[in-house]
Amino acid sequence: MTIRNPKGKMLIDRRTALTGLGGVALTTGLGTSAWADTAGDLKTANEVVAEAVYTVEKMSRSKEFGAYVRAYMKTARAVIVFPQIIKGGFFVGGEGGTGVLLARGENDQWSYPAFFSMASGSFGLQFGGQVSEMMLLVMTGKGLDAILNNKVKVGGEINGAIGPFGAGAEASTTSNLNTDVLSYSISEGAFIGAAIEGAYIFPRDSLDTAFYNDSGANARSVVIDGQFANAAADPIRGELAKYQRDS
């Protein structure tokens, strides 16, 4: 199933969005050859990077909470953008998606992206489904290190909270929220305040390899060491460059 945004632009195939998410994933039936796997990973990586630009724009321009996204972005250590989070199921529910992580360097330039997936599962009487977009603002060095090291659980190794907005949000800081990661999530253009407690965030090394055409590419070598580049990611780096660190 392919989903389109309001502008008519094709979004990531629903199966692609959940590839590799274990129990909540949908199988894709890719071929067994290494070439087929690489080609599929490259297609997925390029789609995620392209669609992430629209998600960042949409979050920052929201009349409802865009001002708060822009304010917190100025001090964020990194950002993870998920162009699609798929939620739903019959009796056994789950949610997940694939996105990109970019970190801010000391010179205020944003890194090239590394690929990550997020997954969570739940059980109960659940029907229907929902497609949303999510942006995680990584506010602490501890949070960034934990995410880069390997699979991390929000509410376990790092603390997460729904990004504040509306009345009283001006008084909210990452210190009094006691959080490493702030989440902003929208569906059909409206804020839905999706909690991420219990969700797992984990690297997608195969997508890094495909996107940079190098088996040595992984989250840390891309984001921290700056060993790899791909001009296809320049649009999202440019969009994030609009948010400069407070002096």
Side-chain angles (χ1 to χ4, degrees):
M1 171 179 155
T2 298
I3 302 164
R4 296 178 181 271
N5 69 13
K7 295 181 180 179
K9 182 175 178 63
M10 184 174 69
L11 295 180
I12 304 162
D13 186 275
R14 180 170 181 152
R15 293 168 300 172
T16 299
L18 292 180
T19 300
L21 297 186
V24 299
L26 301 178
T27 59
T28 61
L30 293 177
T32 57
S33 71
W35 181 89
D37 292 340
T38 300
D41 284 341
L42 181 58
K43 181 177 183 291
T44 297
N46 282 324
E47 288 177 339
V48 171
V49 169
E51 292 300 336
V53 179
Y54 295 99
T55 296
V56 174
E57 290 178 345
K58 194 178 300 184
M59 296 284 186
S60 65
R61 294 177 182 176
S62 168
K63 294 180 179 179
E64 190 176 11
F65 59 86
Y68 303 105
V69 171
R70 294 191 298 271
Y72 283 109
M73 184 72 79
K74 291 180 179 180
T75 55
R77 298 291 300 274
V79 61
I80 312 178
V81 185
F82 293 100
Q84 282 190 27
I85 296 292
I86 308 294
K87 179 177 181 178
F90 296 92
F91 300 103
V92 179
E95 60 185 329
T98 296
V100 288
L101 180 150
L102 299 90
R104 188 202 303 272
E106 293 182 357
N107 57 1
D108 258 350
Q109 290 188 350
W110 288 86
S111 71
Y112 281 90
F115 294 86
F116 282 79
S117 285
M118 182 173 69
S120 64
S122 61
F123 294 85
L125 190 61
Q126 301 185 32
F127 295 94
Q130 183 181 57
V131 179
S132 60
E133 300 170 62
M134 181 177 289
M135 189 159 67
L136 305 183
L137 305 182
V138 184
M139 306 304 299
T140 66
K142 168 196 168 186
L144 179 58
D145 284 341
I147 292 169
L148 290 175
N149 283 342
N150 210 328
K151 183 172 77 173
V152 63
K153 182 179 181 180
V154 181
E157 297 90 339
I158 58 175
N159 298 316
I162 296 172
F165 76 105
E170 291 85 354
S172 299
T173 66
T174 54
S175 57
N176 65 37
L177 287 171
N178 188 32
T179 186
D180 300 300
V181 177
L182 295 176
S183 68
Y184 284 92
S185 185
I186 56 176
S187 181
E188 299 298 331
F191 181 72
I192 59 175
I196 57 171
E197 288 291 313
Y200 287 92
I201 302 170
F202 52 93
R204 296 292 304 279
D205 290 345
S206 65
L207 298 185
D208 294 331
T209 294
F211 189 67
Y212 297 104
N213 194 29
D214 194 309
S215 61
N218 57 46
R220 189 168 290 275
S221 65
V222 172
V223 172
I224 301 301
D225 300 334
Q227 296 179 8
F228 302 94
N230 185 329
D234 286 342
I236 188 171
R237 295 177 70 231
E239 188 64 29
L240 292 173
K242 297 176 182 178
Y243 310 99
Q244 297 301 316
R245 191 189 305 273
D246 287 332
S247 57

